[in-house]
Amino acid sequence: MPLVSLEVVKLDNCHGITGRGLIAFSHSDKLNTLSLANCRRITDEAIINVSHLKRSLLAINVGGCRCLTDRSLEGLAGLVELRKLDLSQ
């Protein structure tokens, strides 16, 4: 069952999380904050899996996620309500 009522998801330092795992949040229309800081296995696939949350996602933290490329930025560009983005290393 999709996790449709979640508003905030913090998975910082969860080193086993992958893009495939984030599909569980892809139908969470209320999700406004997603933090994946230092999740070593997060790739562009993860960002693409949540990038269609255009109207709800306000903040995303992918600081320390070293596997991200320009493709992630392309996916993030569609998040029209995004107010906070952390890409720090």
Side-chain angles (χ1 to χ4, degrees):
M1 172 171 261
L3 304 167
V4 296
S5 297
L6 288 176
E7 294 181 13
V8 176
V9 173
K10 294 184 178 186
L11 298 170
D12 300 344
N13 299 302
C14 292
H15 303 299
I17 298 293
T18 66
R20 178 174 285 165
L22 292 183
I23 291 172
F25 306 115
S26 64
H27 299 290
S28 300
D29 294 342
K30 297 178 183 176
L31 186 65
N32 61 56
T33 302
L34 177 61
S35 186
L36 301 166
N38 299 306
C39 292
R40 296 176 186 157
R41 297 180 64 199
I42 292 296
T43 64
D44 297 328
E45 175 190 17
I47 304 305
I48 291 165
N49 286 345
V50 297
S51 66
H52 74 278
L53 297 172
K54 296 176 177 142
R55 300 274 177 223
S56 64
L57 203 56
L58 302 174
I60 186 166
N61 180 354
V62 289
C65 297
R66 298 175 184 253
C67 295
L68 301 180
T69 70
D70 292 344
R71 278 188 62 214
S72 290
L73 292 177
E74 291 170 9
L76 293 171
L79 299 172
V80 296
E81 298 297 326
L82 194 65
R83 299 292 179 255
K84 183 177 180 184
L85 171 62
D86 186 343
L87 295 168
S88 64
Q89 292 297 322

